[in-house]
Amino acid sequence: MKHLLKALPPVHELQKSERFVLFMDQFGIDQFNLTAILSSVLNEIRQLILNHEWWGPEPGNELFLEEIFSRMEQSIHHQYSYTLKNVINATGTILHTNLGRARLSEQAVQHVIEVASQYSNLEYKLNEGERGSRHTHVENLIKKLTGAEAAMVVNNNAAAVYIILRALANKKEVIVSRGQLVEIGGSFRISSIMEESGARLVEVGTTNKTHLYDYERALNEETRMILKVHTSNFKMMGFTESVDTAELVKLSSQHEQVIFYEDLGSGVLYDFRKHRIGDEPVVSEVLKMGANLVSFSGDKLLGGPQAGIIAGKKELIDQLKKHQLARVLRVDKMTLAALEGTLMHYAKGKEELTKIPIVRDLLVSKEELKQRTEAFVTKLAEASDSYRYSIIEGTSQVGGGTMPEVELPTYVIALTHKQYTAEKTAMLLRTQSTPAIVVRIQREEIQMDLRSVSSEEEELLIKALAELA
Ligand SMILES: *Cc1c(COP(=O)(O)O)cnc(C)c1O
């Protein structure tokens, strides 16, 4: 054992070797950091020798150096690869919160690259040569698309709810229906956010039924706001009743100090009801009915970056913009660029809309999915004979806590590997392929729904499946 330890080459010698220098160049890692990797590899080997667990080539042997550098290479790949990786989402759920919700359009991404890699007029008026406001960039587009008097953007919709309650209803009463005290995704609760904001929650009605008179009875001089929350991620069935926006607008307008604010959750700028998909009200409709303020997410059905969009009365938006929290919750230039890029598609209309991946994937026809799925299976059969598969009719979910009742008809590839279980195949697809691939498992079968897969990704998917075999 001692002779083995003695024969271990010293660090300074290995640093001078050709391979070490080559690694610095090849991986772009400086001497200091590469030496740290080398030392830890040597330590690891020393430890194995001490534990009588070293079965590799003996130090001094030519192959031993090979072993060191091969271990270094593994360690480099491990330490210097991003943990945030691309994933092909073959689940068919288009707004998968765990997989990053909406993906951006090419144009939006291009705009982010331009703005992030250069200086920009983020807070600068080019005409006047003086300081400007970052709010202006997307405000006009939002106004145009929603008909709002004014608008602003914060970090996400949860932040929008928070700043609105904090800035406009601190220490005052906010009336909410018990049927709308929802919890959304990772522990965001309307009741908790309200508590944090300092607004006093006044719950009215019951879980399944709230009437206009429930609101009427709760109104008093301390009331500052009536809040309607979109029950985004669940659907109540049976004996239910809620008060619609028009009635709540009418009620709140009878009390001068009362603001009517609607948290729309996803919020849509395009009317998917035209295609019989869900029953989301378009943002402009809600504002037209007289809501003083609305807020909605940037990365749900809108198809943009994570953001919270607030639109409504100028007087109220001005108060929000001036509040200290506006600075705390403000968005970065990259978000603004992504949002501007996304909103521009809506502003141009029709043909441009399907450039937004979310919109395209929601509207793709069953017929097109059928053709794509059949072509996919044919190509897969050519690439590999390790699978058994069939095409079955199924449904895709919208996901992301939106349109829970909507089931979009689709075609699903049900697939089994001839040797591996479905669990094992799914695990290998997640961990062994680049990009990683996420699929559904049902009845011991892998299920892939191409609705959430782009045509470019289809090729990668076939390649990954063939390589796995
Ligand atoms: C999703 C959602 C939120 C939170 O929005 P984020 O953009 O995820 O912060 C708030 N309210 C409702 C009703 C929602 O559906």
Side-chain angles (χ1 to χ4, degrees), residues 6-62:
K6 256 209 174 123
L8 279 177
V11 169
H12 64 86
E13 210 168 88
L14 290 166
Q15 279 176 326
K16 279 186 235 138
S17 74
E18 211 176 297
R19 287 290 289 282
F20 188 94
V21 179
L22 202 73
F23 273 7
M24 288 205 297
D25 203 43
Q26 183 183 348
F27 298 107
I29 302 172
D30 70 13
Q31 186 173 24
F32 177 82
N33 285 299
L34 196 58
T35 304
I37 287 180
L38 171 60
S39 303
S40 78
V41 164
L42 285 173
N43 279 337
E44 192 182 291
I45 294 173
R46 189 174 292 117
Q47 204 55 52
L48 287 169
I49 293 173
L50 282 168
N51 297 345
H52 304 282
E53 284 167 1
W54 177 251
W55 317 117
E58 288 203 6
N61 187 325
E62 186 64 24

Side-chain angles (χ1 to χ4, degrees), residues 180 210-212 215 228 241-251 260 262 289:
Q180 294 168 5
T210 305
H211 305 276
L212 186 62
Y215 288 92
K228 183 175 176 197
E241 190 164 327
S242 62
V243 185
D244 64 27
T245 297
E247 285 181 283
L248 290 176
V249 163
K250 193 162 159 231
L251 178 64
F260 175 68
E262 187 159 339
M289 276 193 257

Side-chain angles (χ1 to χ4, degrees), residues 214-427:
D214 291 319
Y215 288 92
E216 282 170 340
R217 281 181 200 157
L219 273 162
N220 64 53
E221 306 83 71
E222 289 295 298
T223 309
R224 177 71 173 134
M225 189 178 284
I226 294 176
L227 167 60
K228 183 175 176 197
V229 184
H230 189 60
T231 52
S232 306
N233 53 2
F234 68 100
K235 196 87 193 164
M236 277 208 290
M237 310 279 281
F239 195 56
T240 64
E241 190 164 327
S242 62
V243 185
D244 64 27
T245 297
E247 285 181 283
L248 290 176
V249 163
K250 193 162 159 231
L251 178 64
S252 70
S253 65
Q254 289 159 5
H255 300 262
E256 212 194 318
Q257 87 283 8
V258 177
I259 299 163
F260 175 68
Y261 160 43
E262 187 159 339
D263 169 11
L264 291 169
S266 181
V268 295
L269 298 177
Y270 177 74
D271 196 351
F272 291 105
R273 293 171 299 192
K274 281 197 279 202
H275 305 267
R276 293 167 197 246
I277 299 175
D279 55 4
E280 289 287 317
V282 182
V283 176
S284 59
E285 224 171 87
V286 180
L287 286 168
K288 210 172 193 170
M289 276 193 257
N292 303 124
L293 281 178
V294 298
S295 72
F296 50 100
S297 293
D299 57 351
K300 288 187 180 170
L301 289 168
L302 192 81
Q306 179 192 302
I309 300 166
I310 306 172
K313 290 265 168 283
K314 183 168 187 309
E315 182 212 332
L316 298 172
I317 302 276
D318 282 345
Q319 282 181 58
L320 296 175
K321 283 180 182 166
K322 277 193 217 113
H323 197 275
Q324 277 301 311
L325 272 178
R327 172 60 187 251
V328 177
L329 304 174
R330 81 177 186 185
V331 292
D332 173 65
K333 61 188 175 209
M334 289 189 275
T335 301
L336 285 171
L339 191 57
E340 188 174 35
T342 307
L343 293 174
M344 200 61 87
H345 294 301
Y346 286 100
K348 290 180 179 173
K350 226 165 170 55
E351 297 297 310
E352 279 279 316
L353 283 177
T354 47
K355 290 187 177 164
I356 304 169
I358 283 295
V359 178
R360 180 194 64 210
D361 296 346
L362 257 174
L363 298 185
V364 63
S365 70
K366 198 178 163 196
E367 203 40 51
E368 187 182 333
L369 282 169
K370 186 175 184 192
Q371 282 169 14
R372 275 176 56 195
T373 307
E374 281 168 355
F376 182 91
V377 165
T378 308
K379 276 193 209 155
L380 182 59
E382 282 163 17
S384 168
D385 57 5
S386 301
Y387 299 94
R388 269 186 289 270
Y389 31 69
S390 57
I391 297 176
I392 52 176
E393 291 199 27
T395 53
S396 336
Q397 305 287 313
V398 181
T402 63
M403 298 186 174
E405 78 285 11
V406 171
E407 296 193 323
L408 303 159
T410 191
Y411 288 90
V412 172
I413 304 151
L415 170 141
T416 43
H417 192 280
K418 289 180 183 164
Q419 269 136 45
Y420 306 146
T421 61
E423 285 291 342
K424 169 140 188 193
T425 314
M427 186 271 286

